[in-house]
Amino acid sequence: MREVQSALEGRGFYGSEHPVVRDAQERALPRLREVLEEEPSVMVARLGDRVVAQGERLASEGILRRGLFARMEAAGFETLTFDRGFGGAELAAVLDGLHAGEAAAGSDASGVRLGHLLGGGAERAEASEAEPKAAGPAAADPAALMRPVGRAFQSILRGRPVERGGLHRLVEQLGQAARVGAGALLPMRDLKRHDDYTFAHAINVGILACGLAGAAGLDEGTVRDVTIAGMLHDAGKERVPTSLLNKPGRLTGEEKSIVDGHPVAGAKLLMAAEGVPRLAAIVAWEHHMNADGSGYPRQPAGHRRHPASQIVQLADVFDALRTRRPYRAALPLAEVHAVLLAGRGGPYDAALVDLFLREVVGETLPAAAPAAEPAAAPRRAA
Ligand SMILES: [Fe+2]
Ligand SMILES: [Fe+2]
């Protein structure tokens, strides 16, 4: 990346055709291509003070932050992605754009692309559909991030086909962010500040399920489906009155049975929805069923829950407990750990809890979480 930066800075002194600039560019290629032998693509991203690739901070991040990434930031971008097989001319085109102050993200077909870690891509794609000139970047904008999920919910409720492109783009962004690692998913904290609990929860569960499915070694297509299933797991809550979902006190028996009906309602909605992976309906139905046979709806004798449901369940419990709800405070991270550990080998699969705490929670959530309030009334998780 130092060579890439030299090739950019050299343009200011010598122009893009000068041998000094060409040499710097040429020197950058072999190392990048070496990394790309292992991975189909590599994203280098700026996350606050850090410059990260492949889950690791780059040794020269200080220099890059002041140089290449400052130029990228001025143009509204924070990631630079290289695909296997990219050409020197594609790198040159991106650097020319940055140098001229006319940087564009580059088409998906280009092997070298500027972009956003989360949110910005969806925002831009949408803006360009409606109003081509207003395609300004908006990195990690929670509202933009949630829009495809909101639209999917609306389509599912109205019996319209779900627009797969938006969801897939979002999932791809989440997957890329997860691969960048080292806190790349921290924008999820911002979602907590957003008023709309439903979509914030949906995205968070999608992110966490994506991380856990990846850590469990599932293939890329399955990780994508599990992520979508995670985002849609509570679709059935759209059928439950908000007054019940947000009721501060204890639910009556009748109210509880309405709320507890959301897995079945969700499974029905998702089964009827076009454009949603079949897995989403299974996960919606099973996400409150426990490994020890408890939970709801009641499990048929000998029932074995789909692994995706187990993954989404942990993501769901984790996010629900970490979030303040009208009926209880947000729990501090240590307490959420304790809840999951207490359920290890009981309601939750032990190996999966270990994997989740070690690979997903350990990395993506900092200890500096929202302060807990004194424990309130009965604890309802999700
Ligand atoms: Fe639920
Ligand atoms: Fe949930």
Side-chain angles (χ1 to χ4, degrees), residues 197 201 205 233-234 237 262 287-288 316-317 320 381-382:
Y197 170 75
H201 177 60
V205 171
H233 74 283
D234 270 337
K237 282 197 176 166
H262 80 270
H287 76 278
H288 286 289
D316 182 31
V317 169

Side-chain angles (χ1 to χ4, degrees), residues 135-158:
D141 170 5
L145 203 56
M146 284 188 252
R147 209 161 291 136
V149 181
R151 275 203 297 258
F153 271 54
Q154 285 307 317
S155 301
I156 289 165
L157 279 173
R158 291 180 189 154

Side-chain angles (χ1 to χ4, degrees), residues 93-235:
V94 167
L95 295 179
D96 285 342
L98 278 175
H99 171 62
E102 296 165 353
S107 77
D108 284 353
S110 171
V112 183
R113 294 182 304 282
L114 295 164
H116 307 274
L117 206 48
L118 288 171
E123 175 75 19
R124 213 174 43 251
E126 190 164 62
S128 59
E129 276 159 30
E131 204 183 326
K133 280 186 208 128
D141 170 5
L145 203 56
M146 284 188 252
R147 209 161 291 136
V149 181
R151 275 203 297 258
F153 271 54
Q154 285 307 317
S155 301
I156 289 165
L157 279 173
R158 291 180 189 154
R160 294 203 195 124
V162 173
E163 196 262 298
R164 249 179 290 201
L167 271 188
H168 282 192
R169 259 197 310 275
L170 173 59
V171 171
E172 198 182 301
Q173 286 180 319
L174 297 181
Q176 276 174 342
R179 278 202 295 279
V180 171
L185 296 176
L186 291 187
M188 69 188 270
R189 280 180 307 175
D190 295 332
L191 296 181
K192 304 272 194 212
R193 282 180 229 128
H194 200 273
D195 289 341
D196 202 324
Y197 170 75
T198 306
F199 296 149
H201 177 60
I203 297 271
N204 287 344
V205 171
I207 289 171
L208 292 164
C210 171
L212 184 53
L218 301 179
D219 67 82
E220 206 174 306
T222 311
V223 171
R224 190 184 66 193
D225 285 356
V226 172
T227 308
I228 293 175
M231 288 181 196
L232 302 178
H233 74 283
D234 270 337

Side-chain angles (χ1 to χ4, degrees), residues 303-324:
H303 181 69
R304 287 173 58 174
R305 298 167 309 146
H306 195 288
S309 304
Q310 304 181 32
I311 287 172
V312 170
Q313 177 181 43
L314 289 188
D316 182 31
V317 169
F318 181 89
D319 185 65
L321 292 177
R322 287 287 292 147
T323 308
R324 189 170 69 79

Side-chain angles (χ1 to χ4, degrees), residues 12 23 43 68 79 82 85 199 202 268 287 295 318 361 371:
D23 285 353
M43 180 195 271
L68 173 62
T79 68
F82 301 88
F199 296 149
K268 281 186 187 158
H287 76 278
F318 181 89
V361 177

